[in-house]
Amino acid sequence: METLVHVLLVIDAIIMIVFVLLQSGKSEGLSGAISGGAEQLFGKQKARGADLFLHRGTIVTGVLFFVLAFLSAYILQ
């Protein structure tokens, strides 16, 4: 059981890394935040299509990563 959880944790981590790297940038960096580009961060521009899929996939894999890490650290040990 412990080996299965660790394998799932590694697979989930790899998938989460891929999802994060495939997402497009949401702002122009520090210069965009200073000059007023930060309004986009608060819902002015909604994600659509592939960006929406990647955003939701990142959330799901992040939650799954936390659950598997908690299971591995506290319940199986």
Side-chain angles (χ1 to χ4, degrees), residues 23-42:
Q23 288 182 17
S24 62
K26 301 285 189 244
S27 69
E28 302 167 4
L30 185 59
S31 64
I34 293 173
S35 65
E39 290 111 28
Q40 290 180 343
L41 294 175
F42 299 110

Side-chain angles (χ1 to χ4, degrees), residues 35-56:
S35 65
E39 290 111 28
Q40 290 180 343
L41 294 175
F42 299 110
K44 299 270 184 185
Q45 185 177 3
K46 298 282 184 179
R48 287 188 167 75
D51 281 337
L52 180 63
F53 174 75
L54 291 172
H55 177 72
R56 289 184 179 164

